[in-house]
Amino acid sequence: MSNLLITNGLVIGARGQEIQDILIRDELIVTISPQINPPENCRIIDANAKWIFPGVIDPHTHMGIPIKSGYSADTFASGSPSALHGGVTTILDFSVLESGQTLRESLNTRIKLAGESLCDVGIHVNITRFEPEILAEIPDLIRSGYNSFKVFTTYAEADMMLTYDQIEAVATIIGQHNGILMVHSEDNDVIRRASESFAGGTQTHPRYHGLSRPAEAELVAINRLGEISSRTNCTIYIVHLNTAAGLAKATEYPLLKVETCPHYLLLSEKMYERPDGQMFVSSPPLRSIADSEALWLGLQNGQIHTIGSDHCPFCLGDKPAGTPYQDIPNGMGGVETLFPTLLAQFMERHLNLELLVRLTSSNPAAIFGLDHFKGSLKAGFHADLMIVDPWSISTNWESTLHTSLDWNAYTNFSAVFPETVIRRGEVVIDKAIMNSPSKGLLLKAGS
Ligand SMILES: [Zn+2]
């Protein structure tokens, strides 16, 4: 049995903040109260009025996923230590449905890869083929704790798209069994029409990536998905929402849950004009500053429920300058900078830190069925937390990143990295140095 007592931290929760002591035994929080006497054989960490946040649950990562020409740059083994350094103790990643595989087989393949993760890890089930046998697997998967599924309204060329009718059929089954449907929401017809004007021409600069996927694509898709959620009574989670118009539409439908990403809050389409503009190509693309300010308002109004990194990084060599936008691998890294950059922004914008906790811990836990043991600092819950010194806010942190990548999107941004990170009771980062953590736990909803 190991005891750990954290004293005098300002514990920031979803609904308040207070100086508290936290007693941890093995993996769990035993007590949290203003004054706890240490038991025998207890390590004590004096948090000394620094801030304590619940560990971040990043609901959206893509570790080592196949693309046209290889894989995204971080594997579970390289991406998860980087995540821990940014205070992310849980990642939720996605299965990849290869041709001929059942959903269960694709899930098992992914679970095996996720065994390398040092973060606790859950897997969403991608449905990129519409077949009766695939649909028939859904109820059983939900019963066994895999209750979140993802579909795409686009990527027809990669054979990943489902039509709206097919999505409605999937949503009907998931809704009946109380699962959740996640949707990449960009209308394929809108993208096709917008792209046609650039096809075969000289307009291949990264800025045309944005113009080929206009804001209207998100608006049209969210409108259709909102209607589907109402008709099927299925909760639909809009991944990586990025436009003011899409957000306004999403708020019309009570069964839609909304995620946005740090790059849509912190960056804009102006990045495409930089000499390394190709590195910022992701789908959906970066938007205007007005869009990003609308998202900041949406966070404050409770219209956006979570912030996921959509971590899908590539190195400089994977995205050479001058590559036509159509051939640039889509995606950016961000799991390590997710919380540190957002915390700095929340401080600079004088926003409520409890809101940040809701967006990055308690809401993702509740939405994905993990909220009886993760997402909050409470007795009986997993001891996932971080200690942050707010005075360590800095713009000079890039060289301290713990990633295998040679490029990062947030150079010169303010950030506050945690100095101590505890995952299920284990001190995995101690004074910014990683110990040799045990492997993460495979998570299932509701168990
Ligand atoms: Zn994604």
Side-chain angles (χ1 to χ4, degrees), residues 60 62 94 150 240 310:
H60 190 157
H62 301 282
F94 298 83
K150 183 181 180 195
H240 49 49
D310 199 3

Short mmCIF file of all heavy atoms in Angstrom, two decimals, residues 60 62 94 150 240 310, ligand 1:
data_model
loop_
_atom_site.label_atom_id
_atom_site.label_comp_id
_atom_site.label_asym_id
_atom_site.label_seq_id
_atom_site.Cartn_x
_atom_site.Cartn_y
_atom_site.Cartn_z
N HIS A 60 -9.78 13.30 -28.04
CA HIS A 60 -9.60 13.20 -29.50
C HIS A 60 -8.12 13.18 -29.87
O HIS A 60 -7.50 14.24 -30.03
CB HIS A 60 -10.31 14.41 -30.14
CG HIS A 60 -10.44 14.35 -31.62
ND1 HIS A 60 -11.41 15.06 -32.30
CD2 HIS A 60 -9.73 13.70 -32.57
CE1 HIS A 60 -11.30 14.83 -33.59
NE2 HIS A 60 -10.28 14.02 -33.79
N HIS A 62 -5.07 10.92 -32.39
CA HIS A 62 -4.83 9.93 -33.45
C HIS A 62 -3.37 9.52 -33.39
O HIS A 62 -2.53 10.11 -34.06
CB HIS A 62 -5.11 10.51 -34.83
CG HIS A 62 -6.51 11.01 -35.03
ND1 HIS A 62 -7.58 10.19 -35.27
CD2 HIS A 62 -7.02 12.27 -35.02
CE1 HIS A 62 -8.68 10.91 -35.41
NE2 HIS A 62 -8.38 12.18 -35.26
N PHE A 94 -8.95 6.46 -31.57
CA PHE A 94 -9.94 5.89 -32.49
C PHE A 94 -9.42 4.60 -33.13
O PHE A 94 -8.24 4.54 -33.51
CB PHE A 94 -10.26 6.88 -33.62
CG PHE A 94 -10.86 8.17 -33.15
CD1 PHE A 94 -10.05 9.20 -32.70
CD2 PHE A 94 -12.23 8.34 -33.14
CE1 PHE A 94 -10.60 10.40 -32.24
CE2 PHE A 94 -12.79 9.54 -32.68
CZ PHE A 94 -11.98 10.56 -32.23
N LYS A 150 -17.58 6.71 -34.37
CA LYS A 150 -17.34 7.91 -35.16
C LYS A 150 -17.58 7.63 -36.63
O LYS A 150 -17.15 6.60 -37.15
CB LYS A 150 -15.91 8.40 -34.97
CG LYS A 150 -15.62 9.70 -35.73
CD LYS A 150 -14.19 10.13 -35.54
CE LYS A 150 -13.89 11.42 -36.29
NZ LYS A 150 -12.44 11.63 -36.40
N HIS A 240 -14.26 18.56 -33.46
CA HIS A 240 -13.51 19.72 -33.98
C HIS A 240 -14.38 20.79 -34.68
O HIS A 240 -14.11 21.19 -35.80
CB HIS A 240 -12.34 19.30 -34.87
CG HIS A 240 -12.61 18.30 -35.95
ND1 HIS A 240 -13.64 18.41 -36.82
CD2 HIS A 240 -11.93 17.18 -36.31
CE1 HIS A 240 -13.60 17.40 -37.67
NE2 HIS A 240 -12.59 16.64 -37.39
N ASP A 310 -7.20 16.77 -31.16
CA ASP A 310 -7.13 16.21 -32.53
C ASP A 310 -5.67 15.98 -32.92
O ASP A 310 -5.26 16.24 -34.04
CB ASP A 310 -7.84 17.11 -33.55
CG ASP A 310 -8.19 16.37 -34.84
OD1 ASP A 310 -7.93 15.16 -34.92
OD2 ASP A 310 -8.72 17.01 -35.76
ZN ZN B 1 -9.53 13.84 -35.67
#
